[in-house]
């Protein structure tokens, strides 16, 4: 066993799906969207989840944070089954796993100022921008936004800025796990890089564990340690990125995905890809 292998297996799974089968409405049992999915997020690692549109990626994200209940199998947060946890525990576990959706309007209330939204994440019980102003401004700085962004509403920002605000809001809740669901898919390439750079810096600083969902293999390759390939609601391939996306993939679908990426095998590492660091070097607020 190599050092990286023993390292990987020694790390505890912060989030785990076991035989998860889930669907929607009356068809949920007869025609499930996800079929017996096993998945594991290990401490400090980023798992990329790839699959074509409709393969069930967002459904899996919602199930992992407890918004959907599996009809079979279970989801374990740090070993605890959400289904059997009491209310207080569910609230704490949910806070420790933050979902960032593709459309930040889904996570940002358009009528709330950005600062109020971040303050709510910082302290859900005593949310107040006045009380938490300095911490809110620190978070804005960490995603390369000016302090006065706190007083504006989400519509006053560009798509990339809004997505960075959504990142700040999710991280201000101090999660151990972040699930990023196609967070750069709606953005232009250069703007994608800004969001990814911010996320990469914060991930390292905050020791985050991440599920990075995307249909874009080149992006997944840049940010992930491990990768799982979802096809028609089943995980058809998984492993370290270089294993699954580097050499000859075992599953025909993964081969197909790879073939559709131009020059996919020679992408630069994140440090080289980054044009310039956007994140000012400030200490992450500890709290
Ligand atoms: P992906 O994120 O990979 O594009 P989704 O998880 O969004 O895939 O969707 C997987 C399948 O579940 C699709 O067939 C989609 O039509 C269906 N689906 C997604 N959300 C709902 C919903 N709220 N109600 C019913 N069907 C849904
Ligand atoms: Mg989706």
């Amino acid at each position: 066993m190599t050092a990286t292998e023993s390292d990987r297996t020694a790390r505890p799974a912060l989030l785990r799906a076991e035989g998860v089968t889930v669907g929607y409405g009356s068809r949920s049992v007869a025609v499930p969207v996800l079929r017996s999915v096993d998945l594991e997020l290990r401490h400090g690692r980023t798992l990329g989840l790839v699959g074509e549109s409709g393969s069930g990626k967002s459904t899996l994200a919602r199930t992992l944070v407890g918004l959907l209940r599996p009809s079979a199998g279970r989801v374990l947060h740090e070993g605890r089954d959400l289904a059997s946890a009491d209310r207080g525990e569910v609230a704490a576990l949910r806070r420790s796993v933050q979902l960032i959706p593709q459309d930040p309007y889904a996570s940002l209330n358009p009528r709330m100022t950005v600062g109020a939204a971040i303050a709510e994440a910082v302290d859900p019980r005593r949310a107040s921008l006045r009380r938490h102003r300095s911490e809110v401004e620190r978070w804005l700085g960490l995603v390369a936004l000016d302090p006065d962004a706190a007083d504006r509403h989400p519509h006053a920002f560009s798509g990339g800025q809004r997505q960075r605000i959504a990142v700040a809001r999710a991280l201000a809740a101090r999660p151990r796990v972040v699930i990023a669901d196609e967070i750069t898919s709606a953005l232009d390439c250069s703007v994608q890089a800004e969001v990814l750079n911010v996320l990469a810096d914060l991930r390292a600083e905050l020791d985050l564990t991440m599920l990075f969902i995307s249909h874009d293999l080149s992006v997944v390759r840049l940010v992930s340690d491990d990768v799982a390939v979802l096809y028609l609601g089943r995980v058809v391939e998984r492993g370290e990125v270089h294993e699954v996306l580097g050499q000859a993939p075992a599953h025909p679908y993964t081969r197909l995905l790879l073939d559709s990426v131009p020059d996919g095998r020679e992408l630069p590492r994140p440090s080289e890809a980054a044009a310039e660091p956007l994140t000012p070097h400030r200490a992450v607020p500890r709290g």
Side-chain angles (χ1 to χ4, degrees):
M1 191 184 275
T2 66
T4 47
E5 267 167 346
S6 61
D7 196 44
R8 176 169 44 147
T9 45
R11 290 177 162 210
L14 288 184
L15 191 53
R16 199 183 164 91
E18 292 180 353
V20 163
T21 298
V22 63
Y24 293 94
S26 57
R27 286 155 55 87
S28 65
V29 175
V31 193
V33 170
L34 296 177
R35 296 151 194 265
S36 201
V37 167
D38 295 319
L39 206 82
E40 201 171 66
L41 297 188
R42 295 205 158 266
H43 179 213
R45 292 184 75 89
T46 294
L47 173 67
L49 180 68
V50 295
E52 64 193 344
S53 176
S55 57
K57 302 182 298 296
S58 296
T59 301
L60 182 56
R62 286 183 217 119
T63 308
L64 290 175
V65 297
L67 293 173
L68 288 172
R69 190 181 273 259
S71 57
R74 55 186 195 154
V75 173
L76 301 174
H77 287 205
E78 301 188 38
R80 290 285 291 144
D81 188 345
L82 274 189
S84 62
D86 64 39
R87 276 179 58 182
E89 216 176 355
V90 168
L93 291 174
R94 280 215 175 143
R95 205 170 141 71
S96 76
V97 181
Q98 291 286 319
L99 173 63
I100 313 174
Q102 171 169 345
D103 174 10
Y105 273 126
S107 57
L108 297 172
N109 182 340
R111 284 184 293 269
M112 219 183 214
T113 62
V114 161
I118 296 175
E120 190 183 66
V122 167
D123 184 357
R125 273 174 297 188
R126 294 186 302 167
S128 141
L129 178 53
R130 255 181 50 202
R131 184 194 296 267
H132 298 293
R133 180 100 204 177
S134 63
E135 173 133 12
V136 166
E137 290 185 356
R138 270 203 303 272
W139 282 109
L140 288 169
L142 287 166
V143 295
L145 287 167
D146 292 334
D148 64 10
D151 303 305
R152 291 148 71 196
H153 289 80
H155 63 78
F157 297 90
S158 70
Q161 288 172 326
R162 267 203 297 277
Q163 203 51 288
R164 283 187 269 138
I165 292 165
V167 167
R169 183 179 192 275
L171 298 187
R174 301 314 185 89
R176 299 191 71 192
V177 177
V178 171
I179 299 180
D181 188 2
E182 306 259 18
I183 60 168
T184 61
S185 302
L187 306 174
D188 292 342
C189 245
S190 61
V191 182
Q192 278 191 16
E194 291 171 6
V195 173
L196 292 175
N197 288 343
V198 156
L199 196 60
D201 288 352
L202 290 174
R203 179 183 54 180
E205 270 185 85
L206 300 170
D207 190 26
L208 292 171
T209 300
M210 198 153 89
L211 180 65
F212 189 89
I213 301 175
S214 178
H215 66 273
D216 186 340
L217 275 188
S218 54
V219 172
V220 165
R221 212 193 292 252
L222 281 176
V223 303
S224 310
D225 303 299
D226 307 299
V227 66
V229 180
L230 199 61
Y231 178 62
L232 300 177
R234 294 180 194 275
V235 174
V236 293
E237 199 147 11
R238 84 183 78 222
E240 293 193 19
V241 167
H242 65 91
E243 293 166 358
V244 176
L245 303 181
Q247 288 117 40
H251 196 277
Y253 176 65
T254 312
R255 278 205 296 271
L256 208 64
L257 271 178
L258 278 173
D259 288 344
S260 64
V261 180
D263 304 315
R265 278 150 214 257
E266 292 302 326
L267 283 165
R269 299 295 307 155
S271 53
E272 297 160 24
E276 58 186 272
L278 265 164
T279 309
H281 280 277
R282 277 187 231 180
V284 174
R286 307 272 168 217

